[in-house]
Amino acid sequence: MARPNSGFTLIELMIVVVIVAILATIALPSYNNYLRRGQLTEATNNLSAFRIQMEQYYQDNNNYGTAVCGAANPTPAVYFGYVCTLTDPQHYVMVAAGVTGRLTAGFIYTITEANVQATTAAPGCTPSMSTTAWITC
């Protein structure tokens, strides 16, 4: 009496591997985009919080400081590096630049004392720049 075969053939197994590979090629870029959008909020949140700190400093001192923009610095900084530049004691520009090696690399956001929000670089986004808004594609 012959025993019936059980299990998968090599062809069936290879078909499953191909299907999983196709699904992974479609899903991985979408997942990376999802992660990047979540990481971009660090910059927009920290820049907004920084602006509030700067306005509080301005109310106390009637200027934005002479060193490091009133010593206000956003924390924590995981996906972006932050630099504040004083053009004079009454004007500043805060820049958030994506950290190299992260999904946020290449993104650059700015904010000024007049609350002018701008995106000076947003790789892979359409549009890739905006002088009036933060792009979080």
Side-chain angles (χ1 to χ4, degrees):
M1 197 174 288
R3 229 167 98 187
N5 290 336
S6 62
F8 298 106
T9 66
L10 183 59
I11 296 296
E12 291 170 335
L13 189 58
M14 293 305 292
I15 290 171
V16 169
V17 168
V18 167
I19 291 171
V20 168
I22 290 170
L23 290 175
T25 3
I26 293 169
L28 192 59
S30 296
Y31 181 66
N32 282 339
N33 188 35
Y34 169 77
L35 287 177
R36 181 179 61 217
R37 282 182 299 165
Q39 294 169 0
L40 292 177
T41 60
E42 176 191 297
T44 57
N45 290 343
N46 282 344
L47 287 175
S48 296
F50 172 79
R51 184 171 181 277
I52 291 169
Q53 291 174 350
M54 290 300 289
E55 293 306 317
Q56 290 170 341
Y57 185 93
Y58 188 86
Q59 287 179 352
D60 293 341
N61 301 292
N62 203 27
N63 65 49
Y64 288 111
T66 56
V68 195
C69 294
N73 233 344
T75 53
V78 177
Y79 303 111
F80 284 87
Y82 301 90
V83 176
C84 182
T85 306
L86 286 168
T87 53
D88 61 55
Q90 302 298 319
H91 300 87
Y92 68 87
V93 175
M94 181 71 172
V95 177
V99 174
T100 305
R102 300 279 189 167
L103 294 173
T104 58
F107 281 82
I108 301 174
Y109 297 108
T110 63
I111 193 168
T112 67
E113 79 288 340
N115 199 27
V116 175
Q117 303 168 351
T119 304
T120 56
C125 295
T126 304
S128 62
M129 291 178 52
S130 172
T131 57
T132 58
W134 289 327
I135 298 172
T136 57
C137 64

